[in-house]
Amino acid sequence: ANGVGNDGASGAVFGDEGEISSWASEYVRNAAALQLIQDRSAGLFDPQGIATRAESAQIIYNLLNS
């Protein structure tokens, strides 16, 4: 799943979007819209989680190939 538009009614990109820090929310939504990032599982972003090396590499790869 790409995480974009999981909750069309509220416009939320991720199911746990309310847990994303207010200063980061717009950046996360933009990155998801550009398909630079995806949900981790079941439409969740896990904003307090720690990105793995593989996830970080995938984000950089997506950015360089966008």
Side-chain angles (χ1 to χ4, degrees), residues 1 3 6 9 12-13 17-18 21 24-25 29-31 35 37 42-44 46-47 57 65-66:
N6 282 341
V13 175
E17 190 169 317
S21 297
S25 182
R29 291 176 64 85
N30 288 338
Q35 298 183 339
I37 60 172
L44 300 177
D46 190 17
N65 290 294
S66 63

Side-chain angles (χ1 to χ4, degrees), residues 31-57:
L34 293 170
Q35 298 183 339
L36 299 176
I37 60 172
Q38 298 181 354
D39 55 353
R40 288 187 112 175
S41 65
L44 300 177
F45 181 66
D46 190 17
Q48 301 302 314
I50 297 173
T52 66
R53 188 179 320 171
E55 289 169 331
S56 300

